[in-house]
Amino acid sequence: LNITCDLWYASLVEKANSTDEELGIELDIILKYKLLDNLNLSLVGAYLFAGDGTSNIETNDNKKEKNPYEIGSVLSFSF
């Protein structure tokens, strides 16, 4: 079992449409498990602590998400 944690900070180079430059801080956690010699299963979780620079961004269903997140899995085979 391999556990990885990443912390990212993102900001705009310039202000756009009178919003703040700070996009936010993202925390990623990845759990990687070796099932077989060439087969790995990864579970991924990501959370964005959104800054003021994301205040005007809307989702596809026209809802404003304060702090978006993602949860997923990856099955990878190498040869």
Side-chain angles (χ1 to χ4, degrees), residues 50-76:
D52 292 335
T54 62
S55 61
N56 292 330
I57 298 174
E58 294 183 1
T59 61
N60 291 336
D61 55 2
N62 295 325
K63 292 182 182 177
K64 291 188 177 186
E65 297 292 335
K66 179 67 178 157
N67 295 312
Y69 63 90
E70 176 185 13
I71 299 173
S73 61
V74 177
L75 188 63
S76 59

Side-chain angles (χ1 to χ4, degrees), residues 6-11 21-29 45-55 57 65-71:
D6 295 325
L7 188 65
W8 299 88
Y9 174 77
S11 68
E21 295 106 355
E22 182 181 314
L23 294 175
I25 297 172
E26 180 178 335
L27 175 65
D28 301 333
I29 298 175
Y47 189 84
L48 176 65
F49 299 94
D52 292 335
T54 62
S55 61
I57 298 174
E65 297 292 335
K66 179 67 178 157
N67 295 312
Y69 63 90
E70 176 185 13
I71 299 173

